[in-house]
Amino acid sequence: MSSLESSGEPFDPRRNVLVVLHEPQNLVNIAGVVRGMANMGLERLTLVGPAEFDGHRITGIAHRTDHIVDRISIVDSLEEALADTVYVMGTSARARTAQRNYGHPRALAERILDRALDGPAAIVFGREDRGLSNEALDRCQDVAVVPTTEEYSSLNLAQAFLVIAYEILVASGRDQPPFPTGKRSVGPATGAELEEMYGALESGLDYIDFFKSRKSESVMRTLRTALSRSELDGHEARLLRSVGYEMRNVTRRLQDDLARARDRPPDRGDTGRS
Ligand code: SAH
């Protein structure tokens, strides 16, 4: 297959990734895999001798997945499922012999996408109760093992699938574009903005007598250390500067009010409110 489609868009090798469930016993797990496929952008599913199958129930559990469910192929043997593939990746809860090519999903995701440029590349999942047989694993060039705790290595089938499919999505570079940075996002605060902010904070703290029992130098150093860790942008630095100014302004106003009240002769009979 060519690596360029006629539209000129680079070919998305995920379209050649084939998900194969070997003798799945539980319809809910099939639906879980279908849903994960829709989440992660895989479309081709083959079921080998499923214990039960009902497309309506699957779309009832995994809504809006008809584009996948309508194309599910059901076959009798693994040989049949893998006949056209150029690469097969097995999956296993744990490494059972030293003779297989075990790998973590992150590394093998790169590998399957690379192989999928040349033709159908399959990932095979085993039965819920016994996993893949040795004969089935013999058909796999690599075997992906999702890291788990040692005591509990067997993942639910659909969850194991999701971890691996997620790695394939990330490796494909087709995950969604970076998170929006927000309207307010401006460049990092400049040295001058930071010094103005620290000056305003120090003056504000001084106005509220924060340094009465603390050394201003060490308080300011701690504040600098803490705020330096947050990589403030210009907007944030100006906001903190305003906090400092406001502490100063409010304190000044209160002091003025107090001074005026002291200078004024008491208003007898005046409640101060109209
Ligand atoms: N008792 C079985 C568990 C089967 S779980 C065993 O020990 O093999 C069903 C399927 O989910 C497995 O065949 C495999 O395809 C997948 N799976 C479960 N845990 C996994 C893991 N940690 N890494 C990779 N695949 C896993």
Side-chain angles (χ1 to χ4, degrees):
M1 174 150 325
S2 141
S3 64
L4 284 184
E5 283 184 323
S6 49
S7 64
E9 276 284 295
F11 174 69
D12 181 351
R14 284 180 307 161
R15 295 181 54 186
N16 261 345
V17 171
L18 176 65
V19 180
V20 178
L21 304 187
H22 189 233
E23 298 178 358
Q25 301 298 296
N26 187 335
L27 188 105
V28 172
N29 282 335
I30 301 177
V33 168
V34 166
R35 187 178 190 127
M37 289 175 68
N39 292 140
M40 301 299 153
L42 299 177
E43 289 173 7
R44 298 178 57 189
L45 177 60
T46 299
L47 304 176
V48 182
E52 51 175 342
F53 181 78
D54 178 340
H56 283 299
R57 275 183 64 206
I58 293 176
T59 47
I61 299 171
H63 302 279
R64 295 192 294 115
T65 55
D66 307 74
H67 60 297
I68 297 168
V69 175
D70 290 349
R71 292 175 59 205
I72 289 178
S73 104
I74 299 180
V75 298
D76 291 328
S77 69
L78 201 55
E79 284 73 52
E80 216 179 313
L82 301 178
D84 294 336
T85 56
V86 298
Y87 172 77
V88 182
M89 183 174 103
T91 52
S92 174
R94 75 187 90 83
R96 283 182 253 181
T97 72
Q99 289 145 35
R100 297 197 194 282
N101 297 319
Y102 292 105
H104 288 141
R106 192 155 299 173
L108 291 181
E110 303 270 356
R111 180 113 204 259
I112 196 170
L113 287 175
D114 190 45
R115 301 308 310 275
L117 288 171
D118 295 331
I123 328 172
V124 187
F125 293 84
R127 280 174 70 131
E128 292 88 333
D129 49 354
R130 10 187 154 112
L132 288 172
S133 65
N134 273 323
E135 298 73 60
L137 286 168
D138 285 343
R139 303 192 62 101
C140 306
Q141 278 96 332
D142 294 300
V143 179
V145 178
V146 176
T148 59
T149 60
E150 240 178 273
E151 312 80 63
Y152 211 126
S153 63
S154 174
L155 293 166
N156 163 270
L157 174 57
Q159 291 174 344
F161 166 76
L162 189 66
V163 172
I164 292 170
Y166 165 78
E167 291 295 349
I168 291 174
L169 174 77
V170 174
S172 76
R174 315 258 169 155
D175 41 344
Q176 281 167 9
F179 294 116
T181 46
K183 272 197 223 127
R184 283 253 168 85
S185 171
V186 286
T190 63
E193 282 171 328
L194 288 175
E195 287 317 307
E196 233 186 294
M197 172 192 82
Y198 287 123
L201 283 173
E202 184 167 10
S203 144
L205 289 169
D206 197 23
Y207 266 95
I208 64 166
D209 268 348
F210 195 77
F211 302 130
K212 201 150 69 182
S213 54
R214 301 174 183 88
K215 278 186 76 176
S216 67
E217 200 185 311
S218 101
V219 168
M220 290 314 296
R221 189 163 302 134
T222 305
L223 274 183
R224 275 177 187 269
T225 308
L227 291 174
S228 297
R229 275 199 299 271
S230 27
E231 297 178 2
L232 300 174
D233 66 24
H235 170 75
E236 292 161 340
R238 285 192 291 280
L239 183 79
L240 285 170
R241 185 189 62 184
S242 305
V243 171
Y245 285 153
E246 207 54 27
M247 288 195 286
R248 183 194 62 191
N249 296 344
V250 171
T251 313
R252 268 190 191 157
R253 223 177 294 136
L254 287 173
Q255 285 171 346
D256 288 352
D257 288 353
L258 223 63
R260 258 199 301 278
R262 249 190 256 117
D263 294 346
R264 203 170 47 196
D267 285 333
R268 292 185 195 278
D270 184 356
T271 60
R273 291 181 188 276
S274 52

